[in-house]
Amino acid sequence: MNLKELSQNLGLSQTTVSRALNGYPEVNSATRQRVERAAQQFGYRPNIRAKGLATGQALAIGHVIPIGTTPEMVNPVFGDFIAGAGETYSRNGYEMILSIIDGRNEDNIYRGLKARRAVDGVIVHGPRISEPRVELLQEIDLPFAVHGRTGHVEKPFTWLDVNNEEAFAEATGYLLDLGHRRIGLVNGQEKLDFAHRRRAGYVAALTSRGIVPDPALMHSNQMTEVIGYESTCQMLALTAPPTAIICASLVSALGVRRAVEEQGLVMGRDVSIITHDDALSYLQNGGDTPIFTATRSSVRDAGRLLADMLLYAITHPDEPPQNKLLTAELVIGRSTGPAPR
């Protein structure tokens, strides 16, 4: 059923029905309730594009994914974030536009989205330590929110992040309390802000106990099962191999575990493993008792929250940007134990 048919059914003008459904104050409450009941009864759904034309909004949010520069963005973590954000968009009458692009022309994509008024705002994924996209979006005045943080930006901006440094310091401290002194790190790409902060937390925890970080125990690359496996094989081949390993994602942890077991070692007895766990829908860390001890923070919840923050920034342009720092919970699983003698 379209707006014209709904209006005829109610015996009201299309203008009155449209205003009632969009909450205009000049429509009295009895009429609004009558229109809403009829819309629900007949399954009426407004035409989002038509509404956008009427209000001057695109009613769409953009996600620009530069495959060439950050391939790890297209993974289960990204999928869960998008699912959470999509729930918020749908609830508020917005659509999502995904642009999978060559990273070399990313600036032009953002400028084009702004010039065409194709979106009302964008989410920035995978921020680097020094992030040029933030200043670009501020320059072209396109509303945005960052999943993560970045430094070296003078003007404030909207962001949501996990306290990565604190989480990896806590994970490292937990292993140190278990007696481990040779602790490996299988990190994400450290040009990305989150991975840089995780290494900082790991290093700070070691140095606070008088342990000099060993470069041979620190690996940084894409967060894949194969990279987790290869990095762990290299560390286990050392003269003084690690008795524990911290890794940046559950996907990496699967590779770490494979390498440990191929050496005939037992996870949690011979080599302890801690991972970051994004509470993924289709790659879960066990049931009531986690497989891996983990620093856990739901990326799906992060998607919902950041989408809400961006929509607020779009509808309240004069308000200061919001920032939210989430805390990861250390959950104890079957992958950690005292350091072997």
Side-chain angles (χ1 to χ4, degrees), residues 182 184 186 216-217 219 228-245 255-266 270-273:
R182 295 284 290 170
V186 177
L217 295 180
H219 290 250
Y229 170 80
E230 292 176 346
S231 298
T232 304
C233 287
Q234 292 176 37
M235 289 189 283
L236 293 178
L238 295 171
T239 304
T243 61
I245 297 172
V256 173
R257 180 179 182 176
R258 177 161 69 98
V260 167
E261 292 179 345
E262 276 192 6
Q263 295 291 320
L265 304 171
V266 176
D270 301 310
V271 179
S272 290
I273 302 173

Side-chain angles (χ1 to χ4, degrees), residues 156-194:
F157 58 93
T158 298
W159 57 260
L160 175 144
D161 197 10
V162 176
N163 195 332
N164 289 292
E165 185 170 347
E166 180 182 276
F168 270 50
E170 183 180 10
T172 306
Y174 177 74
L175 291 170
L176 291 166
D177 290 342
L178 289 172
H180 296 277
R181 293 298 178 267
R182 295 284 290 170
I183 301 172
L185 175 67
V186 177
N187 204 3
Q189 294 177 308
E190 290 176 2
K191 66 182 180 181
L192 301 176
D193 185 84
F194 81 89

Side-chain angles (χ1 to χ4, degrees), residues 42-105:
F42 295 113
Y44 170 75
R45 294 290 184 272
N47 184 315
I48 292 177
R49 288 300 177 199
K51 181 179 177 182
L53 288 171
T55 60
Q57 294 179 287
L59 294 175
I61 301 298
H63 293 255
V64 178
I65 314 302
I67 291 297
T69 55
T70 53
E72 61 189 304
M73 286 300 102
V74 183
N75 61 23
V77 175
F78 177 73
D80 258 39
F81 180 90
I82 285 292
E87 292 173 21
T88 297
Y89 301 151
S90 178
R91 188 175 66 249
N92 289 277
Y94 281 75
E95 294 181 332
M96 182 192 309
I97 295 179
L98 285 178
S99 299
I100 311 297
I101 66 162
D102 181 334
R104 289 172 295 183
N105 67 342

Side-chain angles (χ1 to χ4, degrees), residues 98-176:
L98 285 178
S99 299
I100 311 297
I101 66 162
D102 181 334
R104 289 172 295 183
N105 67 342
E106 192 172 359
D107 285 12
N108 292 335
I109 296 297
Y110 286 117
R111 292 183 187 279
L113 290 172
K114 171 66 175 181
R116 300 193 312 273
R117 298 183 180 178
V119 297
D120 298 311
V122 294
I123 297 281
V124 175
H125 296 274
R128 298 174 278 269
I129 297 170
S130 180
E131 182 49 75
R133 288 174 293 178
V134 169
E135 292 180 334
L136 168 68
L137 291 166
Q138 289 176 334
E139 174 194 331
I140 66 176
D141 196 26
L142 179 59
F144 69 96
V146 178
H147 183 205
R149 280 181 286 173
T150 184
H152 314 294
V153 178
E154 292 184 6
K155 291 174 61 178
F157 58 93
T158 298
W159 57 260
L160 175 144
D161 197 10
V162 176
N163 195 332
N164 289 292
E165 185 170 347
E166 180 182 276
F168 270 50
E170 183 180 10
T172 306
Y174 177 74
L175 291 170
L176 291 166

Side-chain angles (χ1 to χ4, degrees), residues 176 180-183 203-214:
L176 291 166
H180 296 277
R181 293 298 178 267
R182 295 284 290 170
I183 301 172
V203 168
L206 291 176
T207 54
S208 71
R209 304 286 186 99
I211 298 173
V212 178
D214 183 351

Side-chain angles (χ1 to χ4, degrees), residues 14-55:
Q14 292 184 47
T15 300
T16 298
V17 172
S18 176
R19 287 176 177 271
L21 291 171
N22 286 290
Y24 281 75
E26 60 264 32
V27 180
N28 66 55
S29 127
T31 300
R32 181 179 297 108
Q33 290 174 16
R34 180 182 166 215
V35 170
E36 288 173 348
R37 282 196 301 267
Q40 185 174 7
Q41 177 185 350
F42 295 113
Y44 170 75
R45 294 290 184 272
N47 184 315
I48 292 177
R49 288 300 177 199
K51 181 179 177 182
L53 288 171
T55 60

